[in-house]
Amino acid sequence: MDTTTDLTTADPAEGPAGHDAGTALVVGATGIAGSALSRLLVDQGWQVLGLSRRSASDVPGVEPVQADLTDAAALAAALEGHRPTHVFLTAWARQDTEAENIRVNAAMVRDVLAAVRPAGSVRHVALLTGLKHYLGPFEAYGQGEVPDTPFHEDEERLPYPNFYYAQEDELFAAAGQDGFTWSVHRAHTVIGYALGNAMNMGQTLAAQAAVCRELGRPFVFPGSQTQWDGLTDMTDAGLLAEQMHWAATTPAAADTAFNTANGDVFRWRWLWPRLAARLGVEPEGYADRPRPLEQQMADAGPVWTALAEREGLAEPDLDRVASWWHTDGDLGRDMECLTDLARSRAAGFTGYRSTLQAFLDLFDRLEADRVVPRVD
C-alpha cells in the first residue's frame, strides 16, 4: 500500500503525530550521505522514500523506490503517485570528462524535480555538493586562482565548467518555477558507511590497513606533504544528515548554501598514527613524495578475495569496499583545504563531531558487519 496518502489530508509540512516532519524523498538512499540521512529522518518521524538504482535501503522504515537516475521516463514512472514534501539530492554519477559530468549530473537534478512536479507537494529541496565548488572540477582541480582558506560560501564561482555549478543552476531554476525553498550543502570528505560507494575514505583506509596486516606491510600515508603537515577538516555523515534536516525545517536557513564540516581541524601527521593504532598496523608518514594507494594496492585484489573467504567477510570484491582513486585525490592535494562554518553557526546550526571519533566509530561498525576483518 502507498502510505504517502496518509499525509495528504493534513498540512504536508507537519508530519506524523505533529512532528516537524513530512514525506522525504532521499535520492541516493544507499550512499554514505543518503543512508545516514534516511536513518535520521526515520528516527525523527518522517515518512522516507529511498530512491536508488540497484538495491533498497537497509534502513528500517524506508520505502524503496527504484529507478535509474539517468532515465527521465523511469524516474517519472517510479515517482508517480508519491507526494514528497522535501527532496534530498545526495547522489551523483562520475563520468569520464567534466562535460559529461555536467550533462549527466545536471540532468539528474532536473529530471528528479520534474518527476515530482506534478504532485505539487514539494516545500524544500536540499542538494549535496562539495569542496570542488571552491577547488575546481577534476579536469582543472586546484589550477589557477583558488580562494584562500578557510573557504567561504560567498566566494565567486571559479572560471571553469563545473557540474556542481550546473546542479545548482538546475535547482535554482526549479525553485523559481515551483516555489519551493532550497539549501545547498558543501561537504568536505565524508566519513560514513556504504558499500559500493565511489567516494569512501573511511572504508578505503580500513581496507588498506587489512591488506597491510595481511602482507606485513606498514600503513603508508599516500598523500602530499601539504596534506600531511597542513590543517584540514572532514565531514561525518551523521553530522551532514543533521545539517540537511535542520536546513529543511528552519526558515532562517532557506535559500542558502552552507559549508558542512565537523567543526574540528587536524593535521594528518597527528591523525594517521592514531588511526594506525586502532587498525593494528605500523604507521609510516610522508617521506619525499606521495605514494598513491592505486600504486600501493595494485596487487591487493587477490589478497582481499582470499582474506574475505577466510574471514567470512560480507564483500569479496575489494572495489566495492575501497575507492583508491578518491582517497588519492583527497590526500594528494597540494593545497590546504579548510572550510569556514560561520554562516551555519549564525543561522543556528551548532552540530559538532570529533573527526577521530567518527573514524573510530566507523571502524567499529565495519568490523561488526564483517566488512573488514576484526583487529586482534
Side-chain angles (χ1 to χ4, degrees), residues 2-90:
D2 181 6
T3 56
T4 57
T5 56
D6 294 345
L7 295 178
T8 59
T9 57
D11 182 345
E14 292 186 8
H19 290 219
D20 184 15
T23 300
L25 172 64
V26 179
V27 180
T30 59
I32 294 177
S35 294
L37 178 61
S38 296
R39 186 170 290 105
L40 174 65
L41 292 172
V42 169
D43 288 346
Q44 292 291 322
W46 291 63
Q47 181 174 0
V48 180
L49 307 171
L51 178 60
S52 60
R53 183 174 62 177
R54 292 192 182 91
S55 58
S57 170
D58 62 359
V59 176
V62 173
E63 179 181 346
V65 179
Q66 288 187 257
D68 185 342
L69 286 170
T70 64
D71 185 334
L75 273 172
L79 290 169
E80 185 177 4
H82 291 295
R83 294 180 55 80
T85 59
H86 297 70
V87 179
F88 298 90
L89 299 160
T90 71

Side-chain angles (χ1 to χ4, degrees), residues 213-228:
R213 289 198 307 272
E214 188 73 2
L215 298 178
R217 295 178 181 173
F219 185 56
V220 176
F221 180 75
S224 69
Q225 184 170 9
T226 301
Q227 291 303 306
W228 181 250

